[in-house]
């Protein structure tokens, strides 16, 4: 809960990653920066951060996974603000393809998809989308991500009228 201190560390880390030209390190930084800005109600800052991420991706030839990831960041921030029209637009425009869990960017997109579908009230699909992500996080030893998935699965169970399985997961 030390947003200013977090922001300082994040800004410094992103500055160093920019010097090295590491797209894979910068993109998660853009997520964290957008989250902090979103929590502070800084919509212009969020849009500016997303714009910077898009410019960075363009320098690398707009790799499809990266472009989809940035679109998911924008949808996630809109979802957190309750801007459901933006989320609906993202859901409509995203490519209908089979889930891709090959990298953290694709996994983030799937998590955002699950949460967006849950916001529409489709809790069973939300849970179905989260289970493979939970299994991958467990296999890879990413405890924080596994717990985050469990919380979303528990929420989907609770909201679909199954409080006991939800409590068991929690």
């Amino acid at each position: 809960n030390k947003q200013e201190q977090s922001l300082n560390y994040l800004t410094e880390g992103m500055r160093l990653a920019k010097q090295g030209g590491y797209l894979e390190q910068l993109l998660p930084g853009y997520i964290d920066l957008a989250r902090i800005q979103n929590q502070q109600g800084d919509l212009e800052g969020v849009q500016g951060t997303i714009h910077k991420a898009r410019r960075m991706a363009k320098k690398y030839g707009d790799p499809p996974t990266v472009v989809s990831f940035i679109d998911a960041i924008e949808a996630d921030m809109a979802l957190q603000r309750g801007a459901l029209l933006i989320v609906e637009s993202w859901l409509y425009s995203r490519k209908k393809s089979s889930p891709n869990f090959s990298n953290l960017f694709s996994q983030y997109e799937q998590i955002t998809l699950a949460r967006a579908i849950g916001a529409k009230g489709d809790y069973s699909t939300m849970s179905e989308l989260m289970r493979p992500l939970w299994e991958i996080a467990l296999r890879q030893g990413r405890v924080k991500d596994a717990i985050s998935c469990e919380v979303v699965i528990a929420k989907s169970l609770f909201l679909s009228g199954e409080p006991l399985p939800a409590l068991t997961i929690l």
Side-chain angles (χ1 to χ4, degrees), residues 84-102:
L84 297 181
L85 288 176
I86 294 170
V87 176
E88 266 308 312
S89 176
W90 174 70
L91 285 170
Y92 180 77
S93 69
R94 65 183 295 279
K95 294 180 178 99
K96 306 291 188 243
S97 60
S98 58
N100 175 3
F101 306 116
S102 63

Side-chain angles (χ1 to χ4, degrees), residues 55-74:
R55 274 200 329 252
M56 174 67 64
K58 190 169 276 315
K59 283 166 95 173
Y60 287 88
D62 280 335
T65 302
V66 171
V67 171
S68 294
F69 176 70
I70 295 168
D71 291 343
I73 293 171
E74 189 169 34

Side-chain angles (χ1 to χ4, degrees), residues 94-144:
R94 65 183 295 279
K95 294 180 178 99
K96 306 291 188 243
S97 60
S98 58
N100 175 3
F101 306 116
S102 63
N103 59 58
L104 292 175
F105 298 147
S106 299
Q107 290 173 29
Y108 177 83
E109 183 182 3
Q110 284 298 118
I111 291 168
T112 302
L113 175 62
R115 291 177 53 246
I117 287 173
K120 294 176 65 168
D122 187 351
Y123 307 118
S124 62
T125 301
M126 178 185 187
S127 183
E128 288 171 23
L129 288 169
M130 290 304 297
R131 286 187 190 280
L133 295 165
W134 171 71
E135 291 169 3
I136 289 169
L138 283 178
R139 269 197 317 270
Q140 294 176 347
R142 295 184 356 252
V143 177
K144 177 184 166 274

Side-chain angles (χ1 to χ4, degrees), residues 8-80:
N8 289 336
Y9 284 124
L10 178 61
T11 303
E12 178 63 11
M14 289 180 70
R15 185 186 68 74
L16 293 171
K18 266 185 198 172
Q19 284 179 352
Y22 298 113
L23 183 63
E24 292 80 19
Q25 282 78 27
L26 276 170
L27 288 174
Y30 284 121
I31 288 178
D32 292 336
L33 181 57
R35 281 185 180 147
I36 291 170
Q37 292 166 328
N38 213 30
Q39 289 170 353
Q40 293 175 335
D42 181 7
L43 184 56
E44 284 182 36
V46 170
Q47 292 303 319
T49 296
I50 290 169
H51 181 72
K52 286 177 189 172
R54 289 191 193 286
R55 274 200 329 252
M56 174 67 64
K58 190 169 276 315
K59 283 166 95 173
Y60 287 88
D62 280 335
T65 302
V66 171
V67 171
S68 294
F69 176 70
I70 295 168
D71 291 343
I73 293 171
E74 189 169 34
D76 188 16
M77 296 304 108
L79 186 60
Q80 291 177 31

